[in-house]
Amino acid sequence: MSDVVLDIQSLTKTVEKNKSIVEDVSFQVKKGEILGLLGPNGAGKTTTIRMIVGLIKKSAGTVWIHGHDMDEHGKSCNEQIGAIVENPAFYDYMTGWKNLQQHARMASQPVSSTRMEEIVQLVQLDDAIYDKVKKYSLGMKQRLGVAQALLHQPALLILDEPTNGLDPKGIRELRDYLRNLAEDGISTLVSSHLLSEMQLMCDRVVIMENGRLIDETVIGELNNAERAKPNAVAFHIDSKQKKQAKTVAGTLADVEILDGEHDDTLLLHVRAEQIPAVNKQFVESGIDVYAIEHKKTSLEEKFLSLTAEDETMQTREVQ
């Protein structure tokens, strides 16, 4: 059997007047891999997920699960998928265990009590599984949702914005659960806009903007690049002077402009011994520098740079 669990090719969704809200999106998820689907609100992440799981009809493209076309083998393919799209739904007046039992009754294959107990232990709800769900915290409800999605032993788990509303402790717990699942060979496709968290959670990320796939990044390679290129320096300046600061920086030898995540920050790749000279050049050019700090080039920086470039290209196309 192929190591590729999910393979989508040229997935497209058009609406009235032939407007594309998802256009020609292709990527794969391998066995035991956590793939992050990133993008700002409206980028097409949820629409892509809904097409994958069959909640909405795609306009074009193919979805393959373990080498089987979803259009031709929909039932067997869906049995390989466990999904939480938007918020998981529960009967609050019932216990967590009763909710799992109710979900198990709807599965196409019988789910044993032993399997349910294994899943409860996996998501670490042992101490609360017989409490009513209305007493659960949001993080506990997310874990119960993951438990429901895993009951029928899927090969692929799909989570749409699972960290929404979670506190930092809940987010970390979810990350740890997904890593444990990956070690057991279960693949996960997770959409989010929390970039720093995705860098910690995922093996690889794909970035969407305006319904299109604009980049694919292997997290290990990004982390290695950070270690190999540590001399990213953030110059904090007046936001009104950023354009001028970029012009000045562009004239300096051995200085690379990396831009920055905020209007009042200019991120440069510059050697430590060059910093005083760069700062002096800014000051002599009338640019106020409020602070200077070393900073890693993170997934967030790359994302913001890519989406800014894409917006610029979109503007040029319209013009």
Side-chain angles (χ1 to χ4, degrees):
M1 184 177 291
S2 170
D3 283 339
V4 176
V5 177
L6 171 68
D7 185 0
I8 69 171
Q9 295 295 325
S10 302
L11 208 58
T12 299
K13 180 63 178 178
T14 57
V15 291
E16 56 185 17
K17 297 182 180 179
N18 292 324
K19 178 183 178 181
S20 294
I21 54 178
V22 172
E23 182 178 355
D24 197 28
V25 169
S26 303
F27 60 79
Q28 296 179 334
V29 182
K30 299 177 182 177
K31 182 178 180 180
E33 178 182 44
I34 302 176
L35 178 71
L37 181 60
L38 305 182
N41 291 335
K45 304 187 301 297
T46 297
T47 300
T48 298
I49 286 175
R50 285 178 171 272
M51 285 190 286
I52 292 173
V53 300
L55 289 177
I56 59 175
K57 186 177 180 180
K58 62 185 184 297
S59 302
T62 55
V63 177
W64 301 77
I65 304 294
H66 273 314
H68 299 289
D69 190 336
M70 180 76 83
D71 290 338
E72 298 178 6
H73 308 279
K75 186 175 183 295
S76 61
C77 286
N78 279 320
E79 290 174 354
Q80 295 294 313
I81 299 174
I84 302 176
V85 182
E86 298 177 345
N87 295 322
F90 308 107
Y91 297 101
D92 284 350
Y93 62 88
M94 292 167 52
T95 66
W97 184 260
K98 288 290 187 181
N99 270 274
L100 288 182
Q101 285 182 322
Q102 181 67 16
H103 196 78
R105 292 189 190 103
M106 297 184 290
S108 58
Q109 299 293 329
V111 179
S112 67
S113 294
T114 301
R115 172 63 181 170
M116 290 173 60
E117 290 170 356
E118 290 174 353
I119 292 300
V120 169
Q121 291 178 0
L122 179 65
V123 300
Q124 298 180 16
L125 279 175
D126 313 53
D127 295 335
I129 197 63
Y130 295 109
D131 294 338
K132 291 184 178 180
V133 171
K134 64 182 179 182
K135 297 182 179 179
Y136 281 18
S137 68
L138 187 56
M140 292 166 69
K141 287 182 178 180
Q142 289 286 27
R143 280 186 271 163
L144 185 60
V146 171
Q148 285 186 343
L150 291 173
L151 277 179
H152 60 291
Q153 296 182 294
L156 174 67
L157 184 62
I158 298 179
L159 305 176
D160 184 23
E161 297 282 2
T163 56
N164 274 356
L166 294 184
D167 59 20
K169 182 175 182 292
I171 292 174
R172 180 172 181 175
E173 289 175 348
L174 178 64
R175 181 207 316 157
D176 292 341
Y177 301 146
L178 296 185
R179 293 285 3 149
N180 289 338
L181 294 177
E183 291 175 3
D184 289 338
I186 298 175
S187 306
T188 301
L189 172 64
V190 54
S191 78
S192 181
H193 59 275
L194 297 180
L195 306 178
S196 58
E197 183 57 37
M198 290 298 97
Q199 187 165 358
L200 294 173
M201 181 185 295
C202 300
D203 301 299
R204 191 162 49 93
V205 297
V206 291
I207 299 175
M208 291 186 67
E209 171 76 342
N210 295 318
R212 297 180 295 112
L213 193 67
I214 62 173
D215 186 72
E216 180 179 326
T217 297
V218 177
I219 295 299
E221 293 178 358
L222 181 65
N223 292 338
N224 290 337
E226 286 184 355
R227 288 189 287 269
K229 191 177 183 179
N231 298 321
V233 180
F235 289 81
H236 296 270
I237 58 177
D238 188 326
S239 59
K240 297 177 181 178
Q241 295 180 309
K242 185 167 184 179
K243 183 176 180 181
Q244 180 188 0
K246 291 176 73 172
T247 299
V248 172
T251 66
L252 304 177
D254 299 323
V255 173
E256 179 183 354
I257 299 174
L258 303 173
D259 208 339
E261 59 186 287
H262 303 294
D263 289 340
D264 60 355
T265 302
L266 180 62
L267 194 66
L268 303 177
H269 179 226
V270 56
R271 298 192 306 275
E273 61 269 22
Q274 292 178 287
I275 293 175
V278 173
N279 184 50
K280 180 180 179 181
Q281 189 66 47
F282 281 156
V283 173
E284 290 179 349
S285 300
I287 299 168
D288 297 322
V289 179
Y290 300 111
I292 303 172
E293 63 174 331
H294 286 275
K295 191 172 183 181
K296 291 183 177 181
T297 306
S298 64
L299 177 62
E300 183 175 13
E301 290 286 350
K302 181 171 184 178
F303 172 84
L304 292 169
S305 176
L306 285 167
T307 52
E309 289 176 5
D310 189 65
E311 288 176 1
T312 300
M313 291 178 63
Q314 290 285 329
T315 302
R316 288 174 179 170
E317 290 173 2
V318 171
Q319 293 175 342

